[in-house]
Short mmCIF file of all heavy atoms in Angstrom, two decimals:
data_model
loop_
_atom_site.label_atom_id
_atom_site.label_comp_id
_atom_site.label_asym_id
_atom_site.label_seq_id
_atom_site.Cartn_x
_atom_site.Cartn_y
_atom_site.Cartn_z
N GLY V 275 -0.92 -12.46 -10.96
CA GLY V 275 0.01 -11.76 -11.84
C GLY V 275 1.44 -11.86 -11.32
O GLY V 275 1.71 -12.39 -10.25
N GLY V 276 2.36 -11.35 -12.10
CA GLY V 276 3.76 -11.32 -11.69
C GLY V 276 4.49 -12.61 -11.97
O GLY V 276 4.01 -13.49 -12.66
N ARG V 277 5.67 -12.70 -11.41
CA ARG V 277 6.55 -13.84 -11.63
C ARG V 277 6.53 -14.77 -10.42
O ARG V 277 6.66 -14.33 -9.30
CB ARG V 277 7.96 -13.32 -11.85
CG ARG V 277 8.95 -14.40 -12.18
CD ARG V 277 10.23 -13.82 -12.61
NE ARG V 277 9.96 -13.11 -13.86
CZ ARG V 277 10.87 -12.91 -14.78
NH1 ARG V 277 12.08 -13.33 -14.60
NH2 ARG V 277 10.57 -12.26 -15.87
N ALA V 278 6.40 -16.06 -10.69
CA ALA V 278 6.38 -17.05 -9.62
C ALA V 278 7.81 -17.40 -9.21
O ALA V 278 8.73 -17.32 -10.02
CB ALA V 278 5.64 -18.30 -10.08
N GLY V 279 7.97 -17.78 -7.96
CA GLY V 279 9.28 -18.18 -7.45
C GLY V 279 9.21 -18.63 -6.00
O GLY V 279 8.14 -19.01 -5.52
N THR V 280 10.34 -18.53 -5.32
CA THR V 280 10.40 -18.89 -3.90
C THR V 280 10.97 -17.74 -3.10
O THR V 280 11.81 -16.97 -3.58
CB THR V 280 11.26 -20.15 -3.66
OG1 THR V 280 12.56 -19.91 -4.17
CG2 THR V 280 10.65 -21.37 -4.32
N PHE V 281 10.52 -17.64 -1.87
CA PHE V 281 10.97 -16.61 -0.94
C PHE V 281 11.65 -17.31 0.21
O PHE V 281 11.06 -18.17 0.86
CB PHE V 281 9.76 -15.79 -0.46
CG PHE V 281 10.13 -14.61 0.39
CD1 PHE V 281 10.51 -13.41 -0.21
CD2 PHE V 281 10.08 -14.68 1.76
CE1 PHE V 281 10.83 -12.32 0.57
CE2 PHE V 281 10.38 -13.59 2.55
CZ PHE V 281 10.78 -12.40 1.94
N THR V 282 12.91 -16.97 0.46
CA THR V 282 13.68 -17.57 1.55
C THR V 282 13.73 -16.57 2.71
O THR V 282 14.18 -15.44 2.53
CB THR V 282 15.10 -17.92 1.09
OG1 THR V 282 15.00 -18.77 -0.04
CG2 THR V 282 15.87 -18.61 2.20
N LEU V 283 13.28 -16.99 3.88
CA LEU V 283 13.24 -16.11 5.05
C LEU V 283 14.66 -15.88 5.57
O LEU V 283 15.41 -16.82 5.78
CB LEU V 283 12.40 -16.76 6.16
CG LEU V 283 10.99 -17.20 5.77
CD1 LEU V 283 10.31 -17.85 6.95
CD2 LEU V 283 10.18 -16.05 5.25
N THR V 284 15.00 -14.60 5.78
CA THR V 284 16.34 -14.27 6.27
C THR V 284 16.33 -13.52 7.60
O THR V 284 17.30 -13.59 8.35
CB THR V 284 17.13 -13.43 5.24
OG1 THR V 284 16.41 -12.22 4.98
CG2 THR V 284 17.36 -14.20 3.96
N GLU V 285 15.24 -12.79 7.89
CA GLU V 285 15.23 -11.96 9.11
C GLU V 285 13.80 -11.71 9.58
O GLU V 285 12.98 -11.23 8.81
CB GLU V 285 15.93 -10.64 8.81
CG GLU V 285 15.96 -9.67 9.94
CD GLU V 285 16.56 -8.33 9.53
OE1 GLU V 285 17.19 -8.23 8.46
OE2 GLU V 285 16.38 -7.38 10.29
N ALA V 286 13.53 -12.04 10.84
CA ALA V 286 12.22 -11.75 11.41
C ALA V 286 12.16 -10.30 11.84
O ALA V 286 13.15 -9.70 12.23
CB ALA V 286 11.97 -12.67 12.62
N MET V 287 10.95 -9.75 11.76
CA MET V 287 10.75 -8.37 12.22
C MET V 287 9.41 -8.26 12.90
O MET V 287 8.49 -9.02 12.62
CB MET V 287 10.82 -7.40 11.05
CG MET V 287 9.72 -7.59 10.04
SD MET V 287 9.68 -6.25 8.90
CE MET V 287 8.04 -6.47 8.25
N SER V 288 9.26 -7.34 13.78
CA SER V 288 8.01 -7.02 14.48
C SER V 288 7.20 -8.24 14.88
O SER V 288 6.08 -8.44 14.47
CB SER V 288 7.15 -6.10 13.61
OG SER V 288 6.81 -6.70 12.38
N CYS V 289 7.80 -9.07 15.72
CA CYS V 289 7.11 -10.27 16.20
C CYS V 289 6.12 -9.90 17.32
O CYS V 289 6.32 -8.94 18.05
CB CYS V 289 8.13 -11.27 16.76
SG CYS V 289 9.25 -11.90 15.50
N ASP V 290 5.07 -10.71 17.44
CA ASP V 290 4.13 -10.49 18.54
C ASP V 290 4.69 -11.05 19.84
O ASP V 290 5.80 -11.58 19.88
CB ASP V 290 2.74 -11.08 18.22
CG ASP V 290 2.76 -12.59 18.05
OD1 ASP V 290 3.70 -13.24 18.52
OD2 ASP V 290 1.81 -13.10 17.45
N ARG V 291 3.94 -10.96 20.93
CA ARG V 291 4.46 -11.34 22.24
C ARG V 291 4.34 -12.81 22.59
O ARG V 291 4.76 -13.23 23.64
CB ARG V 291 3.76 -10.51 23.32
CG ARG V 291 4.09 -9.06 23.20
CD ARG V 291 3.38 -8.27 24.25
NE ARG V 291 3.68 -6.86 24.04
CZ ARG V 291 3.66 -5.97 24.98
NH1 ARG V 291 3.31 -6.31 26.20
NH2 ARG V 291 3.97 -4.73 24.73
N ASN V 292 3.73 -13.61 21.72
CA ASN V 292 3.60 -15.03 22.00
C ASN V 292 4.98 -15.71 21.94
O ASN V 292 5.81 -15.33 21.12
CB ASN V 292 2.68 -15.71 20.99
CG ASN V 292 1.25 -15.26 21.15
OD1 ASN V 292 0.79 -15.01 22.26
ND2 ASN V 292 0.55 -15.14 20.05
N PRO V 293 5.21 -16.71 22.79
CA PRO V 293 6.49 -17.42 22.71
C PRO V 293 6.50 -18.37 21.49
O PRO V 293 5.44 -18.82 21.06
CB PRO V 293 6.52 -18.23 24.01
CG PRO V 293 5.08 -18.40 24.38
CD PRO V 293 4.36 -17.19 23.87
N PRO V 294 7.69 -18.66 20.94
CA PRO V 294 7.75 -19.63 19.84
C PRO V 294 7.23 -20.97 20.33
O PRO V 294 7.37 -21.28 21.51
CB PRO V 294 9.24 -19.72 19.52
CG PRO V 294 9.81 -18.44 20.02
CD PRO V 294 8.97 -18.06 21.21
N PRO V 295 6.60 -21.78 19.56
CA PRO V 295 6.36 -21.69 18.12
C PRO V 295 5.08 -20.97 17.74
O PRO V 295 4.74 -20.91 16.58
CB PRO V 295 6.28 -23.16 17.70
CG PRO V 295 5.67 -23.84 18.88
CD PRO V 295 6.18 -23.08 20.08
N ARG V 296 4.32 -20.41 18.70
CA ARG V 296 3.08 -19.71 18.36
C ARG V 296 3.32 -18.27 17.91
O ARG V 296 2.41 -17.60 17.47
CB ARG V 296 2.13 -19.71 19.55
CG ARG V 296 1.61 -21.08 19.90
CD ARG V 296 0.65 -21.05 21.05
NE ARG V 296 0.74 -19.81 21.81
CZ ARG V 296 -0.26 -19.26 22.46
NH1 ARG V 296 -1.42 -19.82 22.47
NH2 ARG V 296 -0.10 -18.14 23.14
N GLN V 297 4.51 -17.80 18.03
CA GLN V 297 4.85 -16.43 17.71
C GLN V 297 4.69 -16.14 16.22
O GLN V 297 5.11 -16.92 15.40
CB GLN V 297 6.29 -16.15 18.15
CG GLN V 297 6.71 -14.72 18.04
CD GLN V 297 8.11 -14.53 18.58
OE1 GLN V 297 9.00 -15.28 18.24
NE2 GLN V 297 8.28 -13.54 19.42
N ARG V 298 4.05 -15.01 15.89
CA ARG V 298 3.90 -14.59 14.50
C ARG V 298 4.79 -13.38 14.26
O ARG V 298 4.83 -12.47 15.06
CB ARG V 298 2.46 -14.25 14.19
CG ARG V 298 1.56 -15.48 14.19
CD ARG V 298 0.18 -15.12 13.73
NE ARG V 298 0.19 -14.54 12.41
CZ ARG V 298 -0.16 -15.18 11.29
NH1 ARG V 298 -0.54 -16.43 11.35
NH2 ARG V 298 -0.15 -14.57 10.13
N CYS V 299 5.47 -13.39 13.14
CA CYS V 299 6.39 -12.31 12.80
C CYS V 299 6.19 -11.88 11.36
O CYS V 299 5.71 -12.65 10.53
CB CYS V 299 7.84 -12.76 12.93
SG CYS V 299 8.32 -13.32 14.56
N GLY V 300 6.59 -10.66 11.07
CA GLY V 300 6.78 -10.24 9.69
C GLY V 300 8.16 -10.74 9.27
O GLY V 300 9.01 -11.01 10.13
N TRP V 301 8.40 -10.87 7.99
CA TRP V 301 9.68 -11.41 7.54
C TRP V 301 10.29 -10.62 6.40
O TRP V 301 9.59 -10.15 5.50
CB TRP V 301 9.50 -12.86 7.08
CG TRP V 301 9.30 -13.80 8.18
CD1 TRP V 301 8.12 -14.23 8.70
CD2 TRP V 301 10.32 -14.45 8.95
NE1 TRP V 301 8.34 -15.10 9.75
CE2 TRP V 301 9.67 -15.25 9.92
CE3 TRP V 301 11.71 -14.42 8.92
CZ2 TRP V 301 10.37 -16.02 10.83
CZ3 TRP V 301 12.40 -15.18 9.82
CH2 TRP V 301 11.74 -15.97 10.77
N PHE V 302 11.61 -10.50 6.44
CA PHE V 302 12.40 -10.07 5.30
C PHE V 302 13.04 -11.30 4.72
O PHE V 302 13.24 -12.31 5.40
CB PHE V 302 13.50 -9.09 5.72
CG PHE V 302 13.02 -7.70 6.01
CD1 PHE V 302 13.01 -7.21 7.29
CD2 PHE V 302 12.57 -6.89 4.97
CE1 PHE V 302 12.57 -5.93 7.56
CE2 PHE V 302 12.13 -5.62 5.23
CZ PHE V 302 12.12 -5.13 6.52
N GLY V 303 13.38 -11.22 3.45
CA GLY V 303 14.01 -12.36 2.81
C GLY V 303 14.39 -12.07 1.38
O GLY V 303 14.32 -10.94 0.91
N ASP V 304 14.76 -13.14 0.68
CA ASP V 304 15.22 -13.05 -0.70
C ASP V 304 14.28 -13.83 -1.61
O ASP V 304 13.91 -14.96 -1.31
CB ASP V 304 16.63 -13.60 -0.82
CG ASP V 304 17.61 -12.87 0.08
OD1 ASP V 304 17.41 -11.66 0.33
OD2 ASP V 304 18.57 -13.51 0.55
N PHE V 305 13.92 -13.23 -2.74
CA PHE V 305 13.06 -13.87 -3.71
C PHE V 305 13.90 -14.32 -4.90
O PHE V 305 14.73 -13.58 -5.41
CB PHE V 305 11.99 -12.89 -4.21
CG PHE V 305 11.14 -13.43 -5.33
CD1 PHE V 305 10.06 -14.25 -5.05
CD2 PHE V 305 11.43 -13.12 -6.65
CE1 PHE V 305 9.28 -14.76 -6.08
CE2 PHE V 305 10.67 -13.62 -7.67
CZ PHE V 305 9.59 -14.43 -7.40
N THR V 306 13.66 -15.56 -5.34
CA THR V 306 14.31 -16.10 -6.54
C THR V 306 13.21 -16.62 -7.45
O THR V 306 12.35 -17.39 -7.03
CB THR V 306 15.28 -17.25 -6.20
OG1 THR V 306 16.21 -16.77 -5.23
CG2 THR V 306 16.00 -17.72 -7.43
N GLY V 307 13.22 -16.17 -8.71
CA GLY V 307 12.23 -16.64 -9.68
C GLY V 307 12.41 -18.11 -9.97
O GLY V 307 13.48 -18.68 -9.79
N ASP V 308 11.34 -18.75 -10.47
CA ASP V 308 11.40 -20.17 -10.80
C ASP V 308 12.46 -20.48 -11.85
O ASP V 308 13.03 -21.57 -11.85
CB ASP V 308 10.03 -20.66 -11.29
CG ASP V 308 9.05 -20.85 -10.16
OD1 ASP V 308 9.49 -20.92 -8.98
OD2 ASP V 308 7.84 -20.92 -10.44
N ASP V 309 12.74 -19.52 -12.73
CA ASP V 309 13.77 -19.76 -13.74
C ASP V 309 15.17 -19.44 -13.23
O ASP V 309 16.15 -19.61 -13.92
CB ASP V 309 13.48 -18.94 -15.00
CG ASP V 309 13.40 -17.45 -14.73
OD1 ASP V 309 13.59 -17.02 -13.58
OD2 ASP V 309 13.12 -16.70 -15.69
N GLY V 310 15.26 -18.98 -11.97
CA GLY V 310 16.55 -18.71 -11.34
C GLY V 310 17.18 -17.39 -11.70
O GLY V 310 18.25 -17.06 -11.20
N THR V 311 16.53 -16.59 -12.55
CA THR V 311 17.17 -15.35 -13.00
C THR V 311 16.81 -14.12 -12.16
O THR V 311 17.61 -13.20 -12.09
CB THR V 311 16.77 -15.04 -14.46
OG1 THR V 311 15.35 -14.93 -14.54
CG2 THR V 311 17.27 -16.12 -15.40
N VAL V 312 15.65 -14.11 -11.55
CA VAL V 312 15.24 -12.92 -10.79
C VAL V 312 15.59 -13.13 -9.32
O VAL V 312 15.12 -14.06 -8.70
CB VAL V 312 13.73 -12.68 -10.94
CG1 VAL V 312 13.31 -11.49 -10.10
CG2 VAL V 312 13.36 -12.47 -12.37
N VAL V 313 16.42 -12.26 -8.81
CA VAL V 313 16.75 -12.31 -7.39
C VAL V 313 16.52 -10.93 -6.80
O VAL V 313 17.11 -9.96 -7.25
CB VAL V 313 18.21 -12.76 -7.17
CG1 VAL V 313 18.55 -12.72 -5.70
CG2 VAL V 313 18.44 -14.13 -7.74
N ARG V 314 15.65 -10.87 -5.82
CA ARG V 314 15.40 -9.61 -5.10
C ARG V 314 15.78 -9.86 -3.65
O ARG V 314 15.20 -10.71 -2.99
CB ARG V 314 13.94 -9.21 -5.23
CG ARG V 314 13.57 -8.86 -6.65
CD ARG V 314 12.21 -8.20 -6.65
NE ARG V 314 11.80 -7.88 -7.98
CZ ARG V 314 11.90 -6.66 -8.50
NH1 ARG V 314 12.39 -5.67 -7.80
NH2 ARG V 314 11.48 -6.43 -9.72
N ARG V 315 16.73 -9.11 -3.17
CA ARG V 315 17.26 -9.31 -1.83
C ARG V 315 16.65 -8.32 -0.83
O ARG V 315 16.44 -7.16 -1.16
CB ARG V 315 18.77 -9.18 -1.83
CG ARG V 315 19.42 -10.20 -2.73
CD ARG V 315 20.87 -10.44 -2.32
NE ARG V 315 21.50 -11.39 -3.21
CZ ARG V 315 21.32 -12.70 -3.20
NH1 ARG V 315 20.50 -13.23 -2.32
NH2 ARG V 315 21.95 -13.47 -4.05
N HIS V 316 16.41 -8.82 0.37
CA HIS V 316 15.95 -8.04 1.52
C HIS V 316 14.61 -7.32 1.24
O HIS V 316 14.46 -6.13 1.46
CB HIS V 316 17.00 -7.04 1.97
CG HIS V 316 16.81 -6.65 3.40
ND1 HIS V 316 16.98 -7.53 4.44
CD2 HIS V 316 16.45 -5.48 3.98
CE1 HIS V 316 16.73 -6.91 5.58
NE2 HIS V 316 16.40 -5.66 5.32
N TYR V 317 13.65 -8.07 0.74
CA TYR V 317 12.29 -7.58 0.57
C TYR V 317 11.43 -8.10 1.70
O TYR V 317 11.74 -9.12 2.32
CB TYR V 317 11.71 -8.08 -0.77
CG TYR V 317 12.01 -7.16 -1.94
CD1 TYR V 317 13.31 -6.91 -2.32
CD2 TYR V 317 10.99 -6.55 -2.63
CE1 TYR V 317 13.59 -6.06 -3.38
CE2 TYR V 317 11.24 -5.71 -3.69
CZ TYR V 317 12.54 -5.46 -4.05
OH TYR V 317 12.81 -4.63 -5.10
N GLU V 318 10.32 -7.43 1.95
CA GLU V 318 9.39 -7.85 3.00
C GLU V 318 8.36 -8.80 2.40
O GLU V 318 7.89 -8.60 1.29
CB GLU V 318 8.68 -6.64 3.58
CG GLU V 318 7.71 -6.96 4.66
CD GLU V 318 6.96 -5.73 5.17
OE1 GLU V 318 7.29 -4.60 4.77
OE2 GLU V 318 6.03 -5.93 5.97
N LEU V 319 8.01 -9.84 3.14
CA LEU V 319 6.95 -10.75 2.72
C LEU V 319 5.64 -10.17 3.21
O LEU V 319 5.44 -9.95 4.40
CB LEU V 319 7.16 -12.14 3.31
CG LEU V 319 6.15 -13.19 2.87
CD1 LEU V 319 6.24 -13.44 1.36
CD2 LEU V 319 6.38 -14.48 3.60
N ALA V 320 4.73 -9.90 2.30
CA ALA V 320 3.44 -9.31 2.65
C ALA V 320 2.62 -10.27 3.48
O ALA V 320 2.59 -11.47 3.22
CB ALA V 320 2.69 -8.93 1.37
N GLU V 321 1.97 -9.74 4.50
CA GLU V 321 1.01 -10.47 5.34
C GLU V 321 1.63 -11.54 6.24
O GLU V 321 0.91 -12.31 6.85
CB GLU V 321 -0.10 -11.09 4.50
CG GLU V 321 -0.88 -10.09 3.68
CD GLU V 321 -1.60 -9.04 4.51
OE1 GLU V 321 -2.17 -9.38 5.55
OE2 GLU V 321 -1.59 -7.88 4.10
#
Side-chain angles (χ1 to χ4, degrees):
R277 184 170 295 208
T280 57
F281 186 83
T282 304
L283 307 178
T284 59
E285 178 185 346
M287 64 169 199
S288 60
C289 296
D290 63 20
R291 294 180 182 206
N292 292 325
R296 293 182 343 150
Q297 188 175 47
R298 291 186 58 103
C299 300
W301 287 93
F302 283 110
D304 302 329
F305 174 83
T306 305
D308 284 343
D309 58 2
T311 59
V312 178
V313 176
R314 294 192 181 260
R315 299 203 182 283
H316 204 66
Y317 272 62
E318 180 183 353
L319 184 64
E321 303 298 320

